[in-house]
Amino acid sequence: MLKSFVPSMSLPSLEVLSFSFCSRLEHFPDVMEEMDRPLKIQLVNTAIKEFPMSIGKLTGLEYLDISGCKKLNISRKLFLLPKLETLLVDGCSHIGQSFKRFKERHSMANGCPNLRTLHLSETNLSNEELYAILKGFPRLEALKVSYNDFHSLPECIKDSKQLKSLDVSYCKNLSSIPELPPSIQKVNARYCGRLTSEASNSLWSKV
């Protein structure tokens, strides 16, 4: 039943903050001072629509789970948090636009996102949005994009030199998989019913 928390917070020693399944919670508190200690935040299935501009003060944030936050838009400041390595956004059907806007407006000369693990299952990703993710987040090691409707993976995936794990399971329209980077160790392509035999054989040849 929780609808609001404190309007602002100053908790420099905080290590874990969880509002998961507080489905009426709409506002994330303003951050009053820099919080540089390792921090984990879980906001699964909340009604939060956006983060405050002060989100940039969460310099210690390492892990953020905003799965099921269907109204949320992600700001550029969040993507560029220096220690954010894990971002889980499963079930957010419009979130791909946030990644696309980030790619269009951000120059890598101004800093590169540090994301290593990104989960985007059931997010209605388009081919354009998937391209923006691969180009905008070159340090990804694990990418999960299962249960989406895109038809193919962008050719630029071969440039993701640190990518080790790729999950495209249950992408029922996926028909082809291009050349993958040599760093890849695990591919989950189960229940991709339209995947051609040529694509399947190509995956097998890499095993």
Side-chain angles (χ1 to χ4, degrees):
M1 301 299 291
L2 183 69
K3 293 183 178 181
S4 62
F5 190 55
V6 292
S8 61
M9 64 180 182
S10 178
L11 300 167
S13 297
L14 189 68
E15 296 179 356
V16 178
L17 178 63
S18 178
F19 290 116
S20 290
F21 304 101
C22 296
S23 58
R24 298 187 180 189
L25 183 69
E26 294 186 350
H27 301 288
F28 190 86
D30 276 313
V31 184
M32 301 305 292
E33 63 177 295
E34 184 174 356
M35 297 170 61
D36 59 1
R37 293 191 61 171
L39 177 62
K40 178 179 182 178
I41 295 179
Q42 297 168 312
L43 301 170
V44 179
N45 284 15
T46 62
I48 293 174
K49 298 177 182 178
E50 61 182 2
F51 289 105
M53 294 297 291
S54 57
I55 196 73
K57 294 179 182 177
L58 295 180
T59 52
L61 183 63
E62 297 179 343
Y63 176 104
L64 177 62
D65 190 349
I66 48 178
S67 299
C69 297
K70 299 183 183 298
K71 301 178 181 179
L72 182 66
N73 288 309
I74 302 179
S75 70
R76 174 176 171 272
K77 285 190 174 183
L78 191 144
F79 285 134
L80 291 173
L81 288 172
K83 295 182 181 177
L84 183 60
E85 293 191 353
T86 301
L87 179 59
L88 311 183
V89 206
D90 297 326
C92 301
S93 56
H94 301 293
I95 206 69
Q97 287 296 317
S98 294
F99 289 89
K100 188 178 177 183
R101 282 194 300 272
F102 175 79
K103 172 64 177 64
E104 291 170 349
R105 300 174 185 177
H106 178 71
S107 168
M108 289 300 170
N110 297 325
C112 178
N114 201 39
L115 273 184
R116 309 288 176 167
T117 299
L118 180 59
H119 287 192
L120 289 158
S121 295
E122 293 185 280
T123 48
N124 198 30
L125 283 181
S126 68
N127 288 65
E128 277 187 338
E129 291 162 352
L130 191 53
Y131 173 84
I133 290 164
L134 291 169
K135 295 297 286 186
F137 300 86
R139 295 178 179 170
L140 283 177
E141 295 179 2
L143 177 62
K144 183 180 180 182
V145 288
S146 56
Y147 291 94
N148 279 295
D149 293 330
F150 49 78
H151 293 80
S152 62
L153 293 173
E155 294 285 341
C156 67
I157 194 171
K158 67 178 182 295
D159 299 324
S160 298
K161 303 299 184 183
Q162 300 182 44
L163 189 64
K164 297 177 182 177
S165 175
L166 174 66
D167 187 343
V168 292
S169 58
Y170 294 91
C171 291
K172 296 182 179 180
N173 291 323
L174 182 64
S175 59
S176 64
I177 295 179
E179 179 185 352
L180 297 175
S183 57
I184 203 77
Q185 296 176 6
K186 178 182 178 182
V187 177
N188 184 350
R190 293 180 301 163
Y191 302 104
C192 296
R194 295 191 178 181
L195 203 61
T196 64
S197 57
E198 181 182 357
S200 297
N201 291 336
S202 177
L203 284 177
W204 276 111
S205 70
K206 292 177 172 58
V207 175

